[in-house]
Amino acid sequence: MGERVTWPEQVRIEFQLERKEYVRAVRFFLRKRHLVSWIQGLVLVLALAAVAVLTWMIGHLNFLNTLLLVLAAMALLYMGYLYLWKPGRLFDRDPALREPVTFLFSREDVARQDGRSAAILEWDVKELWRGTGLYFLFDGAGNYTLLPLRAFQGPEELERFEALVGQACPDAKIRLYH
């Protein structure tokens, strides 16, 4: 009874996102979209060092140094919030992220079912990212759906899934990150 039956042109996955998986995925997204990067952190550290050196040379904080210090500290705090704290808070606040979900991908459409609803969705993938442990399916509106690679039965099913995406959305950009 628990045996899964799929046709060769279908891929069926079931999964439940874990908090650490979701946090890692959001951080990966922020890095790859260049919303947060190590270069930004380096620039902020250099700006704070410049304020310290200028303050030492002048002997006191002037208006420009104070302004630079406050702006750099605000940017550093915002980056920390966005990268370190916010992903976990999003997962904790949205119970839908913790629910088990099932997807059935076929050439014609995508069926999605969770504990509250079931829907047939049109293929609308503009970009497919395959990162470490996760797929990101980006739609035309810039939203994404996360699919953990652990939900797939093996490399053959991963290849079938990528082939289905290519057939259903020939204009989709496929990016593989390692």
Side-chain angles (χ1 to χ4, degrees):
M1 178 102 187
E3 192 173 320
R4 293 182 358 172
V5 176
T6 57
W7 302 101
E9 62 274 351
Q10 292 180 338
V11 174
R12 183 173 194 257
I13 61 170
E14 297 177 32
F15 63 91
Q16 183 173 359
L17 280 176
E18 299 169 356
R19 186 179 197 275
K20 66 179 179 174
E21 193 171 49
Y22 179 78
V23 168
R24 187 180 41 165
V26 171
R27 289 177 181 166
F28 179 82
F29 171 79
L30 290 171
R31 286 191 312 271
K32 294 304 177 190
R33 287 285 193 206
H34 302 291
L35 299 172
V36 173
S37 75
W38 67 271
I39 293 173
Q40 293 167 334
L42 179 64
V43 168
L44 287 173
V45 168
L46 290 175
L48 290 171
V51 167
V53 168
L54 287 173
T55 302
W56 176 74
M57 288 175 63
I58 295 173
H60 66 282
L61 274 175
N62 64 10
F63 176 74
L64 185 59
N65 286 352
T66 304
L67 180 64
L68 186 59
L69 179 67
V70 169
L71 289 176
M74 286 174 54
L76 194 59
L77 286 172
Y78 181 70
M79 280 179 52
Y81 163 76
L82 188 65
Y83 189 77
L84 299 174
W85 194 58
K86 188 177 179 183
R89 294 279 296 162
L90 288 173
F91 187 83
D92 294 340
R93 287 186 175 187
D94 191 351
L97 291 173
R98 292 184 293 278
E99 289 185 7
V101 64
T102 302
F103 283 93
L104 178 63
F105 299 96
S106 69
R107 289 183 185 165
E108 296 79 30
D109 52 32
V110 178
R112 181 190 187 284
Q113 181 178 359
D114 60 25
R116 295 177 287 157
S117 64
I120 302 293
L121 309 168
E122 295 292 322
W123 277 103
D124 184 25
V125 176
K126 302 299 181 211
E127 262 186 278
L128 170 72
W129 289 2
R130 182 175 169 185
T132 307
L134 292 160
Y135 274 120
F136 289 78
L137 297 175
F138 291 92
D139 66 12
N143 301 317
Y144 60 86
T145 301
L146 288 176
L147 305 174
L149 296 182
R150 64 178 166 77
F152 294 87
Q153 293 300 307
E156 301 83 25
E157 197 170 53
L158 292 171
E159 290 174 16
R160 281 195 354 236
F161 173 71
E162 290 177 12
L164 274 175
V165 172
Q167 291 170 359
C169 304
D171 295 333
K173 296 176 187 171
I174 297 176
R175 297 184 182 184
L176 305 176
Y177 296 100
H178 300 284

